[in-house]
Amino acid sequence: MLWMKWKMVVDSLRGRRRRMPCSLWFLLLFAAGGLVLFIHLRDLSEMVQHQGPGVKLGSTPRQSRETLSTQDSERSKSDNYQDHQAAEGILSSLIPPMQFPHFEESRQMATTGSREQDIGSLHVSKRQRKLLKTSPPISHTNNNVSVSSSSPSSSSSVSSSSASVSFSPDILQARRKLMKDVCAKYKSRISKTITGDHVKHLYVEDKHKLLYCQVPKAGCSNWKRTLIVLAGKARNAQSLQHDTVHYGQKLRTLNTFDHQGIMQRLETYTKIIFVREPLERIVSAYRDKFENPNNYYHNLFGKPIISKYRVNPSLAALKTGNGVTFKEFVRYLLDVHRPVGMDIHWEQMNQLCHPCLIDYDFIGKFENMEEESNFLLRLTGAPPNITLPSFKDRNPTDLRTSLQITQKYFSQVSQSEKQRVYDFYYMDYMMFNYSKPFKDLY
C-alpha cells in the first residue's frame, strides 16, 4: 500500500515536469515575438526621421538608386561649379613665355560626340582627359618662381611678350618641377622601361656629354648645327646646309647604341629639350610642308589627304598632292582613321621626347630661343665663340609663324575643330606650361 502511494506521488511529479516545459516555451515565444515587433517599429520610426527628400517609403530599390544617382549628379555639378569659380583667380606666373593652362571641362567635345585616337602609351583617354580638365591645377613655388593656373581672360596673350623676363636657373628648376608634378599626377602608371624607340629622337654629342631631343619646328635644325660644331665635325654652323644637317649622318641618335651605352648616357649626360607653343608649331609645319614645293610630303601626305577630304578633287590635285588646304590638314589630323599615319613634324612633343620617362635637365622654350640656348651653352662649357645660329635656310622669304599667323589659319576651321585640335595637344599644353591660345577654347 505504501508502495502504491509512493508511485502515485512520483507519477504526479512527472506529469507536472512534462507540462512545465510547454508553458515555458510558450512564454519564451511570446517574449521573442514582442521583442521583434519592438525592434521593427523602432527601425521604422528611424527611417521616417532620416529619409531624404527624394526617397519615399515603399519605393522599389531601382527607384531609390535612380533618385540617389540624380542627387549625386546634381551635387557633383554644384561641386564642379564651385571648383571652377575658385580656379578663376588670376595667379601670375614668372615662367616665360607662357602661363599654366586653365583647367576646364571641354563641353564642346561632349556635345559633338567626337572621338580621339590614342597614340602611344602617353596619350590620354577620354576619362583621363575629363579628370585632367576638372582636377585642381598643380601649383608650386620654387625660389620665388610661382607656377599656377592662369585665368581665361589672360590666356590669349600667348606670344613671346613674356620672354623679356630674364632667364635664370630658378625658372629652369620651376619648369623641371612642373614637368615632374604633371607626370607624377597623370602618368604614374606608365611603364618605366626605356627602349630604343623611346630615345630614337635623342641626338648624342659625346665631347660635351649632351643629349638633345629634336622637336621639329622648334629650332631643331639650328640646334643640330650647333651640336655638329661642338663635336668638331664642322667649323661653323653657317656652312651647314639643311640636307647636310638632317641627312648627312653627322650625329648619332641614342638608339644606335647598345642598352648599356643608352643607359650610361642617360644617367650621366645633360639631357636637353626645346619646345614650342603647340598650335603655332603645327601651323608652322603645315606652311613648310604643304604651302611650299615638297615632293616628298605632297606625294606621301598630300595625295591621300586630298583624296579623302576634298569634294570633287581635280585630277591634277590627285596626281600631284599639291594644294592641301589647312582645313583639310586639320580634318586629317583629327581623323581616327587617317589615310596616312602621323609625322614627326606634327606629332605631340611628349610623344617624341617622352619626358615622363626621361628626366630632362634643361627644358627650353622656342619663344626665348636665343637667350636660353646661349645660357645652356655657357652652362655646359661650350667655347665662348659658339652660339646658336638664328638664320632660316628653308623658305627664307616666309615670315616666321607667330600667334597672329596662327590665329589667321585657325579662323579657317570651325569652333568644334579648333577645340578638338587643342584637346589633341592638351598634354603638351600641360607639361610645357602653355596657356590656351584662343579665348573661345574650353
Side-chain angles (χ1 to χ4, degrees), residues 286-287 289-292 297-299 301-307 309-310 317 320-332 409 412:
Y286 166 77
R287 295 176 68 206
K289 304 307 178 187
F290 295 106
E291 288 189 343
N292 290 285
Y297 277 89
H298 291 187
N299 279 298
F301 291 92
K303 290 180 181 180
I305 288 175
I306 291 173
S307 177
Y309 306 109
R310 183 173 298 181
T320 63
N322 297 343
V324 172
T325 66
F326 185 69
K327 186 175 182 63
E328 291 168 343
F329 174 70
V330 168
R331 291 186 64 190
Y332 145 78
Y409 276 82
Q412 303 171 29

PDB file of all heavy atoms in Angstrom, residues 286-287 289-292 297-299 301-307 309-310 317 320-332 409 412:
ATOM      1  N   TYR A 286      52.554  72.942 -91.214  1.00  0.00           N
ATOM      2  CA  TYR A 286      51.682  72.950 -92.395  1.00  0.00           C
ATOM      3  C   TYR A 286      52.228  73.893 -93.470  1.00  0.00           C
ATOM      4  O   TYR A 286      52.292  73.538 -94.658  1.00  0.00           O
ATOM      5  CB  TYR A 286      50.269  73.369 -91.997  1.00  0.00           C
ATOM      6  CG  TYR A 286      49.411  73.735 -93.197  1.00  0.00           C
ATOM      7  CD1 TYR A 286      48.859  72.742 -94.000  1.00  0.00           C
ATOM      8  CD2 TYR A 286      49.217  75.081 -93.538  1.00  0.00           C
ATOM      9  CE1 TYR A 286      48.112  73.083 -95.123  1.00  0.00           C
ATOM     10  CE2 TYR A 286      48.469  75.426 -94.657  1.00  0.00           C
ATOM     11  CZ  TYR A 286      47.921  74.423 -95.443  1.00  0.00           C
ATOM     12  OH  TYR A 286      47.197  74.755 -96.558  1.00  0.00           O
ATOM     13  N   ARG A 287      52.613  75.102 -93.075  1.00  0.00           N
ATOM     14  CA  ARG A 287      53.117  76.076 -94.040  1.00  0.00           C
ATOM     15  C   ARG A 287      54.371  75.563 -94.730  1.00  0.00           C
ATOM     16  O   ARG A 287      54.541  75.725 -95.953  1.00  0.00           O
ATOM     17  CB  ARG A 287      53.414  77.404 -93.335  1.00  0.00           C
ATOM     18  CG  ARG A 287      52.182  78.090 -92.759  1.00  0.00           C
ATOM     19  CD  ARG A 287      52.590  79.354 -92.000  1.00  0.00           C
ATOM     20  NE  ARG A 287      53.106  80.379 -92.902  1.00  0.00           N
ATOM     21  CZ  ARG A 287      53.950  81.335 -92.547  1.00  0.00           C
ATOM     22  NH1 ARG A 287      54.393  81.392 -91.284  1.00  0.00           N
ATOM     23  NH2 ARG A 287      54.368  82.225 -93.423  1.00  0.00           N
ATOM     24  N   LYS A 289      55.441  72.346 -95.104  1.00  0.00           N
ATOM     25  CA  LYS A 289      55.330  71.106 -95.873  1.00  0.00           C
ATOM     26  C   LYS A 289      54.295  71.152 -96.986  1.00  0.00           C
ATOM     27  O   LYS A 289      54.403  70.400 -97.960  1.00  0.00           O
ATOM     28  CB  LYS A 289      55.002  69.938 -94.931  1.00  0.00           C
ATOM     29  CG  LYS A 289      55.997  69.761 -93.798  1.00  0.00           C
ATOM     30  CD  LYS A 289      57.434  69.654 -94.293  1.00  0.00           C
ATOM     31  CE  LYS A 289      58.424  69.532 -93.146  1.00  0.00           C
ATOM     32  NZ  LYS A 289      59.832  69.603 -93.612  1.00  0.00           N
ATOM     33  N   PHE A 290      53.266  71.989 -96.865  1.00  0.00           N
ATOM     34  CA  PHE A 290      52.175  71.944 -97.844  1.00  0.00           C
ATOM     35  C   PHE A 290      52.016  73.229 -98.658  1.00  0.00           C
ATOM     36  O   PHE A 290      51.399  73.195 -99.719  1.00  0.00           O
ATOM     37  CB  PHE A 290      50.856  71.621 -97.137  1.00  0.00           C
ATOM     38  CG  PHE A 290      50.839  70.249 -96.527  1.00  0.00           C
ATOM     39  CD1 PHE A 290      50.949  70.080 -95.155  1.00  0.00           C
ATOM     40  CD2 PHE A 290      50.740  69.113 -97.324  1.00  0.00           C
ATOM     41  CE1 PHE A 290      50.942  68.816 -94.581  1.00  0.00           C
ATOM     42  CE2 PHE A 290      50.737  67.850 -96.772  1.00  0.00           C
ATOM     43  CZ  PHE A 290      50.838  67.692 -95.398  1.00  0.00           C
ATOM     44  N   GLU A 291      52.529  74.352 -98.189  1.00  0.00           N
ATOM     45  CA  GLU A 291      52.401  75.587 -98.947  1.00  0.00           C
ATOM     46  C   GLU A 291      53.636  75.878 -99.794  1.00  0.00           C
ATOM     47  O   GLU A 291      53.636  76.848-100.557  1.00  0.00           O
ATOM     48  CB  GLU A 291      52.141  76.764 -97.998  1.00  0.00           C
ATOM     49  CG  GLU A 291      50.749  76.755 -97.395  1.00  0.00           C
ATOM     50  CD  GLU A 291      50.417  78.027 -96.643  1.00  0.00           C
ATOM     51  OE1 GLU A 291      51.347  78.787 -96.307  1.00  0.00           O
ATOM     52  OE2 GLU A 291      49.230  78.254 -96.385  1.00  0.00           O
ATOM     53  N   ASN A 292      54.651  75.072 -99.660  1.00  0.00           N
ATOM     54  CA  ASN A 292      55.877  75.237-100.436  1.00  0.00           C
ATOM     55  C   ASN A 292      56.157  73.946-101.211  1.00  0.00           C
ATOM     56  O   ASN A 292      55.673  72.880-100.833  1.00  0.00           O
ATOM     57  CB  ASN A 292      57.055  75.558 -99.508  1.00  0.00           C
ATOM     58  CG  ASN A 292      56.955  76.949 -98.900  1.00  0.00           C
ATOM     59  OD1 ASN A 292      57.188  77.954 -99.553  1.00  0.00           O
ATOM     60  ND2 ASN A 292      56.590  76.997 -97.623  1.00  0.00           N
ATOM     61  N   TYR A 297      56.439  65.270 -99.188  1.00  0.00           N
ATOM     62  CA  TYR A 297      55.221  65.425 -98.383  1.00  0.00           C
ATOM     63  C   TYR A 297      53.971  65.524 -99.252  1.00  0.00           C
ATOM     64  O   TYR A 297      52.898  65.060 -98.851  1.00  0.00           O
ATOM     65  CB  TYR A 297      55.339  66.649 -97.464  1.00  0.00           C
ATOM     66  CG  TYR A 297      56.099  66.322 -96.200  1.00  0.00           C
ATOM     67  CD1 TYR A 297      57.485  66.446 -96.142  1.00  0.00           C
ATOM     68  CD2 TYR A 297      55.451  65.846 -95.069  1.00  0.00           C
ATOM     69  CE1 TYR A 297      58.191  66.119 -94.995  1.00  0.00           C
ATOM     70  CE2 TYR A 297      56.138  65.514 -93.917  1.00  0.00           C
ATOM     71  CZ  TYR A 297      57.514  65.647 -93.887  1.00  0.00           C
ATOM     72  OH  TYR A 297      58.214  65.305 -92.752  1.00  0.00           O
ATOM     73  N   HIS A 298      54.101  66.100-100.430  1.00  0.00           N
ATOM     74  CA  HIS A 298      52.927  66.190-101.295  1.00  0.00           C
ATOM     75  C   HIS A 298      52.518  64.813-101.804  1.00  0.00           C
ATOM     76  O   HIS A 298      51.324  64.516-101.921  1.00  0.00           O
ATOM     77  CB  HIS A 298      53.214  67.131-102.462  1.00  0.00           C
ATOM     78  CG  HIS A 298      53.355  68.558-102.047  1.00  0.00           C
ATOM     79  ND1 HIS A 298      53.476  69.601-102.943  1.00  0.00           N
ATOM     80  CD2 HIS A 298      53.387  69.137-100.812  1.00  0.00           C
ATOM     81  CE1 HIS A 298      53.588  70.741-102.276  1.00  0.00           C
ATOM     82  NE2 HIS A 298      53.551  70.476-100.983  1.00  0.00           N
ATOM     83  N   ASN A 299      53.487  63.972-102.073  1.00  0.00           N
ATOM     84  CA  ASN A 299      53.173  62.614-102.534  1.00  0.00           C
ATOM     85  C   ASN A 299      52.695  61.716-101.388  1.00  0.00           C
ATOM     86  O   ASN A 299      51.682  61.027-101.519  1.00  0.00           O
ATOM     87  CB  ASN A 299      54.408  61.977-103.196  1.00  0.00           C
ATOM     88  CG  ASN A 299      54.591  62.417-104.633  1.00  0.00           C
ATOM     89  OD1 ASN A 299      53.741  62.165-105.487  1.00  0.00           O
ATOM     90  ND2 ASN A 299      55.689  63.091-104.910  1.00  0.00           N
ATOM     91  N   PHE A 301      51.682  62.547 -98.174  1.00  0.00           N
ATOM     92  CA  PHE A 301      50.564  63.023 -97.369  1.00  0.00           C
ATOM     93  C   PHE A 301      49.504  63.763 -98.199  1.00  0.00           C
ATOM     94  O   PHE A 301      48.299  63.612 -97.953  1.00  0.00           O
ATOM     95  CB  PHE A 301      51.067  63.946 -96.251  1.00  0.00           C
ATOM     96  CG  PHE A 301      51.861  63.232 -95.198  1.00  0.00           C
ATOM     97  CD1 PHE A 301      53.243  63.133 -95.287  1.00  0.00           C
ATOM     98  CD2 PHE A 301      51.234  62.641 -94.109  1.00  0.00           C
ATOM     99  CE1 PHE A 301      53.981  62.481 -94.313  1.00  0.00           C
ATOM    100  CE2 PHE A 301      51.961  61.980 -93.130  1.00  0.00           C
ATOM    101  CZ  PHE A 301      53.333  61.898 -93.235  1.00  0.00           C
ATOM    102  N   GLY A 302      49.958  64.578 -99.152  1.00  0.00           N
ATOM    103  CA  GLY A 302      49.025  65.400 -99.906  1.00  0.00           C
ATOM    104  C   GLY A 302      48.011  64.589-100.700  1.00  0.00           C
ATOM    105  O   GLY A 302      46.806  64.875-100.665  1.00  0.00           O
ATOM    106  N   LYS A 303      48.465  63.585-101.407  1.00  0.00           N
ATOM    107  CA  LYS A 303      47.558  62.793-102.249  1.00  0.00           C
ATOM    108  C   LYS A 303      46.442  62.123-101.437  1.00  0.00           C
ATOM    109  O   LYS A 303      45.254  62.276-101.766  1.00  0.00           O
ATOM    110  CB  LYS A 303      48.352  61.746-103.033  1.00  0.00           C
ATOM    111  CG  LYS A 303      49.230  62.324-104.126  1.00  0.00           C
ATOM    112  CD  LYS A 303      49.969  61.204-104.848  1.00  0.00           C
ATOM    113  CE  LYS A 303      50.875  61.739-105.941  1.00  0.00           C
ATOM    114  NZ  LYS A 303      51.603  60.653-106.648  1.00  0.00           N
ATOM    115  N   PRO A 304      46.771  61.370-100.388  1.00  0.00           N
ATOM    116  CA  PRO A 304      45.682  60.723 -99.630  1.00  0.00           C
ATOM    117  C   PRO A 304      44.780  61.717 -98.897  1.00  0.00           C
ATOM    118  O   PRO A 304      43.584  61.469 -98.734  1.00  0.00           O
ATOM    119  CB  PRO A 304      46.412  59.809 -98.653  1.00  0.00           C
ATOM    120  CG  PRO A 304      47.806  60.316 -98.583  1.00  0.00           C
ATOM    121  CD  PRO A 304      48.095  60.918 -99.908  1.00  0.00           C
ATOM    122  N   ILE A 305      45.335  62.851 -98.457  1.00  0.00           N
ATOM    123  CA  ILE A 305      44.506  63.860 -97.776  1.00  0.00           C
ATOM    124  C   ILE A 305      43.491  64.448 -98.749  1.00  0.00           C
ATOM    125  O   ILE A 305      42.294  64.561 -98.433  1.00  0.00           O
ATOM    126  CB  ILE A 305      45.400  64.960 -97.159  1.00  0.00           C
ATOM    127  CG1 ILE A 305      46.154  64.407 -95.940  1.00  0.00           C
ATOM    128  CG2 ILE A 305      44.559  66.174 -96.765  1.00  0.00           C
ATOM    129  CD1 ILE A 305      47.144  65.389 -95.333  1.00  0.00           C
ATOM    130  N   ILE A 306      43.945  64.827 -99.943  1.00  0.00           N
ATOM    131  CA  ILE A 306      43.037  65.387-100.942  1.00  0.00           C
ATOM    132  C   ILE A 306      42.002  64.352-101.365  1.00  0.00           C
ATOM    133  O   ILE A 306      40.809  64.654-101.509  1.00  0.00           O
ATOM    134  CB  ILE A 306      43.835  65.911-102.161  1.00  0.00           C
ATOM    135  CG1 ILE A 306      44.652  67.145-101.764  1.00  0.00           C
ATOM    136  CG2 ILE A 306      42.909  66.223-103.328  1.00  0.00           C
ATOM    137  CD1 ILE A 306      45.598  67.627-102.844  1.00  0.00           C
ATOM    138  N   SER A 307      42.441  63.118-101.541  1.00  0.00           N
ATOM    139  CA  SER A 307      41.539  62.055-101.982  1.00  0.00           C
ATOM    140  C   SER A 307      40.416  61.805-100.990  1.00  0.00           C
ATOM    141  O   SER A 307      39.262  61.580-101.386  1.00  0.00           O
ATOM    142  CB  SER A 307      42.334  60.766-102.208  1.00  0.00           C
ATOM    143  OG  SER A 307      41.479  59.701-102.564  1.00  0.00           O
ATOM    144  N   TYR A 309      39.415  63.933 -98.212  1.00  0.00           N
ATOM    145  CA  TYR A 309      38.711  65.051 -97.588  1.00  0.00           C
ATOM    146  C   TYR A 309      38.234  66.134 -98.553  1.00  0.00           C
ATOM    147  O   TYR A 309      37.489  67.019 -98.155  1.00  0.00           O
ATOM    148  CB  TYR A 309      39.599  65.691 -96.516  1.00  0.00           C
ATOM    149  CG  TYR A 309      40.092  64.707 -95.498  1.00  0.00           C
ATOM    150  CD1 TYR A 309      41.426  64.325 -95.462  1.00  0.00           C
ATOM    151  CD2 TYR A 309      39.218  64.113 -94.587  1.00  0.00           C
ATOM    152  CE1 TYR A 309      41.886  63.397 -94.537  1.00  0.00           C
ATOM    153  CE2 TYR A 309      39.669  63.181 -93.664  1.00  0.00           C
ATOM    154  CZ  TYR A 309      41.003  62.830 -93.647  1.00  0.00           C
ATOM    155  OH  TYR A 309      41.450  61.908 -92.734  1.00  0.00           O
ATOM    156  N   ARG A 310      38.634  66.080 -99.814  1.00  0.00           N
ATOM    157  CA  ARG A 310      38.202  67.109-100.751  1.00  0.00           C
ATOM    158  C   ARG A 310      37.033  66.604-101.585  1.00  0.00           C
ATOM    159  O   ARG A 310      37.067  65.483-102.113  1.00  0.00           O
ATOM    160  CB  ARG A 310      39.351  67.537-101.667  1.00  0.00           C
ATOM    161  CG  ARG A 310      38.985  68.675-102.624  1.00  0.00           C
ATOM    162  CD  ARG A 310      40.186  69.182-103.388  1.00  0.00           C
ATOM    163  NE  ARG A 310      41.188  69.742-102.488  1.00  0.00           N
ATOM    164  CZ  ARG A 310      42.341  70.270-102.890  1.00  0.00           C
ATOM    165  NH1 ARG A 310      42.633  70.304-104.189  1.00  0.00           N
ATOM    166  NH2 ARG A 310      43.193  70.751-102.015  1.00  0.00           N
ATOM    167  N   ALA A 317      45.182  67.583-108.857  1.00  0.00           N
ATOM    168  CA  ALA A 317      45.416  67.555-107.405  1.00  0.00           C
ATOM    169  C   ALA A 317      45.621  66.124-106.916  1.00  0.00           C
ATOM    170  O   ALA A 317      46.482  65.870-106.067  1.00  0.00           O
ATOM    171  CB  ALA A 317      44.238  68.203-106.683  1.00  0.00           C
ATOM    172  N   THR A 320      49.256  65.045-108.072  1.00  0.00           N
ATOM    173  CA  THR A 320      50.440  65.708-107.503  1.00  0.00           C
ATOM    174  C   THR A 320      50.385  65.834-105.985  1.00  0.00           C
ATOM    175  O   THR A 320      51.425  65.909-105.334  1.00  0.00           O
ATOM    176  CB  THR A 320      50.597  67.112-108.095  1.00  0.00           C
ATOM    177  OG1 THR A 320      49.455  67.914-107.739  1.00  0.00           O
ATOM    178  CG2 THR A 320      50.718  67.046-109.615  1.00  0.00           C
ATOM    179  N   GLY A 321      49.187  65.908-105.414  1.00  0.00           N
ATOM    180  CA  GLY A 321      49.065  66.139-103.976  1.00  0.00           C
ATOM    181  C   GLY A 321      49.320  67.580-103.587  1.00  0.00           C
ATOM    182  O   GLY A 321      49.450  67.884-102.391  1.00  0.00           O
ATOM    183  N   ASN A 322      49.375  68.474-104.577  1.00  0.00           N
ATOM    184  CA  ASN A 322      49.627  69.890-104.297  1.00  0.00           C
ATOM    185  C   ASN A 322      48.347  70.585-103.843  1.00  0.00           C
ATOM    186  O   ASN A 322      47.245  70.232-104.263  1.00  0.00           O
ATOM    187  CB  ASN A 322      50.156  70.597-105.543  1.00  0.00           C
ATOM    188  CG  ASN A 322      51.501  70.045-105.994  1.00  0.00           C
ATOM    189  OD1 ASN A 322      52.191  69.373-105.224  1.00  0.00           O
ATOM    190  ND2 ASN A 322      51.871  70.315-107.235  1.00  0.00           N
ATOM    191  N   GLY A 323      48.513  71.613-103.004  1.00  0.00           N
ATOM    192  CA  GLY A 323      47.401  72.478-102.659  1.00  0.00           C
ATOM    193  C   GLY A 323      46.521  72.007-101.515  1.00  0.00           C
ATOM    194  O   GLY A 323      45.348  72.386-101.443  1.00  0.00           O
ATOM    195  N   VAL A 324      47.047  71.201-100.609  1.00  0.00           N
ATOM    196  CA  VAL A 324      46.263  70.799 -99.429  1.00  0.00           C
ATOM    197  C   VAL A 324      45.904  72.052 -98.627  1.00  0.00           C
ATOM    198  O   VAL A 324      46.787  72.841 -98.273  1.00  0.00           O
ATOM    199  CB  VAL A 324      47.060  69.817 -98.551  1.00  0.00           C
ATOM    200  CG1 VAL A 324      46.336  69.549 -97.230  1.00  0.00           C
ATOM    201  CG2 VAL A 324      47.282  68.502 -99.286  1.00  0.00           C
ATOM    202  N   THR A 325      44.626  72.237 -98.331  1.00  0.00           N
ATOM    203  CA  THR A 325      44.206  73.390 -97.543  1.00  0.00           C
ATOM    204  C   THR A 325      44.414  73.104 -96.055  1.00  0.00           C
ATOM    205  O   THR A 325      44.517  71.944 -95.632  1.00  0.00           O
ATOM    206  CB  THR A 325      42.732  73.720 -97.793  1.00  0.00           C
ATOM    207  OG1 THR A 325      41.911  72.653 -97.288  1.00  0.00           O
ATOM    208  CG2 THR A 325      42.462  73.908 -99.275  1.00  0.00           C
ATOM    209  N   PHE A 326      44.435  74.172 -95.263  1.00  0.00           N
ATOM    210  CA  PHE A 326      44.621  73.983 -93.824  1.00  0.00           C
ATOM    211  C   PHE A 326      43.431  73.241 -93.211  1.00  0.00           C
ATOM    212  O   PHE A 326      43.612  72.417 -92.316  1.00  0.00           O
ATOM    213  CB  PHE A 326      44.809  75.336 -93.133  1.00  0.00           C
ATOM    214  CG  PHE A 326      45.130  75.213 -91.663  1.00  0.00           C
ATOM    215  CD1 PHE A 326      46.349  74.694 -91.244  1.00  0.00           C
ATOM    216  CD2 PHE A 326      44.209  75.590 -90.696  1.00  0.00           C
ATOM    217  CE1 PHE A 326      46.654  74.575 -89.894  1.00  0.00           C
ATOM    218  CE2 PHE A 326      44.507  75.480 -89.344  1.00  0.00           C
ATOM    219  CZ  PHE A 326      45.725  74.962 -88.948  1.00  0.00           C
ATOM    220  N   LYS A 327      42.239  73.499 -93.707  1.00  0.00           N
ATOM    221  CA  LYS A 327      41.065  72.790 -93.194  1.00  0.00           C
ATOM    222  C   LYS A 327      41.169  71.294 -93.480  1.00  0.00           C
ATOM    223  O   LYS A 327      40.824  70.455 -92.639  1.00  0.00           O
ATOM    224  CB  LYS A 327      39.794  73.367 -93.808  1.00  0.00           C
ATOM    225  CG  LYS A 327      38.511  72.797 -93.223  1.00  0.00           C
ATOM    226  CD  LYS A 327      37.290  73.495 -93.781  1.00  0.00           C
ATOM    227  CE  LYS A 327      36.009  72.939 -93.152  1.00  0.00           C
ATOM    228  NZ  LYS A 327      35.952  73.178 -91.698  1.00  0.00           N
ATOM    229  N   GLU A 328      41.658  70.938 -94.662  1.00  0.00           N
ATOM    230  CA  GLU A 328      41.856  69.521 -94.994  1.00  0.00           C
ATOM    231  C   GLU A 328      42.925  68.893 -94.100  1.00  0.00           C
ATOM    232  O   GLU A 328      42.792  67.750 -93.658  1.00  0.00           O
ATOM    233  CB  GLU A 328      42.236  69.380 -96.470  1.00  0.00           C
ATOM    234  CG  GLU A 328      41.097  69.720 -97.425  1.00  0.00           C
ATOM    235  CD  GLU A 328      41.568  69.864 -98.870  1.00  0.00           C
ATOM    236  OE1 GLU A 328      42.795  70.027 -99.097  1.00  0.00           O
ATOM    237  OE2 GLU A 328      40.711  69.833 -99.777  1.00  0.00           O
ATOM    238  N   PHE A 329      43.977  69.661 -93.833  1.00  0.00           N
ATOM    239  CA  PHE A 329      45.024  69.170 -92.950  1.00  0.00           C
ATOM    240  C   PHE A 329      44.489  68.910 -91.543  1.00  0.00           C
ATOM    241  O   PHE A 329      44.809  67.894 -90.919  1.00  0.00           O
ATOM    242  CB  PHE A 329      46.175  70.180 -92.905  1.00  0.00           C
ATOM    243  CG  PHE A 329      47.250  69.850 -91.923  1.00  0.00           C
ATOM    244  CD1 PHE A 329      48.112  68.784 -92.112  1.00  0.00           C
ATOM    245  CD2 PHE A 329      47.415  70.621 -90.769  1.00  0.00           C
ATOM    246  CE1 PHE A 329      49.112  68.470 -91.201  1.00  0.00           C
ATOM    247  CE2 PHE A 329      48.403  70.328 -89.843  1.00  0.00           C
ATOM    248  CZ  PHE A 329      49.257  69.251 -90.063  1.00  0.00           C
ATOM    249  N   VAL A 330      43.649  69.805 -91.039  1.00  0.00           N
ATOM    250  CA  VAL A 330      43.063  69.632 -89.709  1.00  0.00           C
ATOM    251  C   VAL A 330      42.140  68.420 -89.678  1.00  0.00           C
ATOM    252  O   VAL A 330      42.140  67.647 -88.710  1.00  0.00           O
ATOM    253  CB  VAL A 330      42.318  70.912 -89.281  1.00  0.00           C
ATOM    254  CG1 VAL A 330      41.451  70.662 -88.050  1.00  0.00           C
ATOM    255  CG2 VAL A 330      43.322  72.030 -88.996  1.00  0.00           C
ATOM    256  N   ARG A 331      41.348  68.227 -90.724  1.00  0.00           N
ATOM    257  CA  ARG A 331      40.468  67.059 -90.772  1.00  0.00           C
ATOM    258  C   ARG A 331      41.274  65.762 -90.755  1.00  0.00           C
ATOM    259  O   ARG A 331      40.897  64.790 -90.094  1.00  0.00           O
ATOM    260  CB  ARG A 331      39.589  67.117 -92.026  1.00  0.00           C
ATOM    261  CG  ARG A 331      38.544  68.233 -92.002  1.00  0.00           C
ATOM    262  CD  ARG A 331      37.630  68.147 -93.200  1.00  0.00           C
ATOM    263  NE  ARG A 331      36.841  66.911 -93.169  1.00  0.00           N
ATOM    264  CZ  ARG A 331      36.101  66.477 -94.191  1.00  0.00           C
ATOM    265  NH1 ARG A 331      36.053  67.176 -95.328  1.00  0.00           N
ATOM    266  NH2 ARG A 331      35.410  65.349 -94.089  1.00  0.00           N
ATOM    267  N   TYR A 332      42.393  65.748 -91.483  1.00  0.00           N
ATOM    268  CA  TYR A 332      43.285  64.587 -91.439  1.00  0.00           C
ATOM    269  C   TYR A 332      43.833  64.373 -90.037  1.00  0.00           C
ATOM    270  O   TYR A 332      43.853  63.245 -89.517  1.00  0.00           O
ATOM    271  CB  TYR A 332      44.425  64.780 -92.441  1.00  0.00           C
ATOM    272  CG  TYR A 332      45.751  64.215 -92.003  1.00  0.00           C
ATOM    273  CD1 TYR A 332      46.025  62.852 -92.072  1.00  0.00           C
ATOM    274  CD2 TYR A 332      46.739  65.053 -91.477  1.00  0.00           C
ATOM    275  CE1 TYR A 332      47.245  62.335 -91.649  1.00  0.00           C
ATOM    276  CE2 TYR A 332      47.943  64.552 -91.054  1.00  0.00           C
ATOM    277  CZ  TYR A 332      48.202  63.192 -91.145  1.00  0.00           C
ATOM    278  OH  TYR A 332      49.409  62.689 -90.699  1.00  0.00           O
ATOM    279  N   TYR A 409      45.178  81.254 -89.536  1.00  0.00           N
ATOM    280  CA  TYR A 409      44.946  79.918 -90.101  1.00  0.00           C
ATOM    281  C   TYR A 409      43.793  79.209 -89.398  1.00  0.00           C
ATOM    282  O   TYR A 409      42.969  78.549 -90.050  1.00  0.00           O
ATOM    283  CB  TYR A 409      46.221  79.084 -90.031  1.00  0.00           C
ATOM    284  CG  TYR A 409      47.169  79.340 -91.186  1.00  0.00           C
ATOM    285  CD1 TYR A 409      48.036  80.422 -91.168  1.00  0.00           C
ATOM    286  CD2 TYR A 409      47.176  78.528 -92.307  1.00  0.00           C
ATOM    287  CE1 TYR A 409      48.901  80.694 -92.215  1.00  0.00           C
ATOM    288  CE2 TYR A 409      48.033  78.773 -93.375  1.00  0.00           C
ATOM    289  CZ  TYR A 409      48.889  79.863 -93.319  1.00  0.00           C
ATOM    290  OH  TYR A 409      49.727  80.114 -94.374  1.00  0.00           O
ATOM    291  N   GLN A 412      40.052  79.549 -90.315  1.00  0.00           N
ATOM    292  CA  GLN A 412      39.524  78.817 -91.466  1.00  0.00           C
ATOM    293  C   GLN A 412      38.779  77.545 -91.065  1.00  0.00           C
ATOM    294  O   GLN A 412      38.159  76.900 -91.913  1.00  0.00           O
ATOM    295  CB  GLN A 412      40.664  78.463 -92.428  1.00  0.00           C
ATOM    296  CG  GLN A 412      41.469  79.639 -92.923  1.00  0.00           C
ATOM    297  CD  GLN A 412      42.709  79.212 -93.704  1.00  0.00           C
ATOM    298  OE1 GLN A 412      42.723  78.150 -94.323  1.00  0.00           O
ATOM    299  NE2 GLN A 412      43.750  80.032 -93.674  1.00  0.00           N
TER     300      GLN A 412
END
